[in-house]
Amino acid sequence: MSGPIGVFDSGHGGLTTLAALRARLPDRPFVYLGDHANAPYGVRSPAEISALTQASVERLFAEGCELVILACNTAAAVALRGLQEGWLAREHPEKRVLGVFVPVIEALTGRPWAADGPPVDLAGLRIAVFATPATVASGAFPRELAFRARGVEVTQVACPGLVDALEEARHADARELARGFAQQAAGACPERAFLGCTHYPLVRDAFAAGLPEGVEILSQPDLVAASLADYLQRHPQRAGHGAALTCLTSGDPEAVSAAARALTGEDYRFRPA
């Protein structure tokens, strides 16, 4: 029988995705790995991000995971394609590592990722994307969106310091930063907003406060959970059954567990990775 589903993030942000996945798939086991010792990833070089991501995916494979979700948008933007086409294809062709951009782009375009045909015409749609500096610099989101849709106006806003504030439980600072970053995009009059880092839903209301009234904020965790449920219907062999949860960290387990409780209100018990 296949093992648990791996969920990887650079820190606590992926817990927002984990919660949505467990709510949608309560009969599937999960292993969460946070690379807290090396967070945040958003200010690191592409080479560093790729190396750290590969090491964490390898650790999840060692836990028996046949399927790993890169809940970290920075890792998905910077490292995923290279890992899929290189190391994974060579060393682990039987395993799968999936990113978190695909479900968002499918929701925006209204078409499955693998659908053939010309790009969907979304002329006039304005979307604001808030992400880490590394994700913005990669250009991954507008590039992937452009393959599947045309006419979309994308405003990207890099959000330095926001992940640090959330990881350090500086809630007031994080909310002030989020509201300020949202205000930077307000002049573009976006219709939709994408919080392109799994940490950012923790201050979703602060982003909303800085955006014009009526802007729809896409829920990436819910979209990822729905997409994974669909994937497992088509590939049920990719994950085992049961409600077990294991939480691993490269950081200090007691400190990480305490910070996770402060951020989410849930009692996640981390152990050393």
Side-chain angles (χ1 to χ4, degrees), residues 103-110 122 125 127 141 145 192 194 218:
V104 176
I105 292 175
E106 287 181 329
L108 282 169
T109 60
L122 297 177
L125 176 63
I127 180 168
F141 184 81
L145 180 60
R192 292 181 176 179
F194 168 41
L218 298 171

Side-chain angles (χ1 to χ4, degrees), residues 34 86 99 113 232 259:
W113 191 256
L232 290 176

Side-chain angles (χ1 to χ4, degrees), residues 14-163:
L15 293 174
T16 60
T17 300
L18 177 67
L21 291 172
R22 296 185 73 206
R24 185 68 180 249
L25 300 163
D27 61 342
R28 299 284 187 171
F30 290 90
V31 178
Y32 182 86
L33 172 57
D35 190 14
H36 298 86
N38 295 299
Y41 278 17
V43 294
R44 291 185 175 274
S45 70
E48 289 178 304
I49 294 166
S50 294
L52 291 169
T53 301
Q54 179 176 324
S56 292
V57 171
E58 284 186 301
R59 180 66 183 86
L60 288 168
F61 287 168
E63 286 289 313
C65 301
E66 297 286 323
L67 170 66
V68 173
I69 307 299
L70 291 191
C72 177
N73 283 272
T74 299
V78 176
L80 179 57
R81 179 173 290 185
L83 293 180
Q84 288 174 330
E85 296 176 352
W87 169 69
L88 283 168
R90 293 192 310 269
E91 305 293 335
H92 301 283
E94 77 287 0
K95 295 180 171 62
R96 294 293 180 270
V97 179
L98 306 177
V100 286
F101 279 154
V102 170
V104 176
I105 292 175
E106 287 181 329
L108 282 169
T109 60
R111 61 184 286 180
W113 191 256
D116 293 326
V120 177
D121 187 1
L122 297 177
L125 176 63
R126 299 182 300 276
I127 180 168
V129 177
F130 302 95
T132 67
T135 298
V136 170
S138 75
F141 184 81
R143 180 178 64 247
E144 296 296 336
L145 180 60
F147 288 146
R148 291 158 186 87
R150 59 176 179 267
V152 184
E153 298 177 23
V154 179
T155 299
Q156 292 197 98
V157 178
C159 305
L162 182 51
V163 170

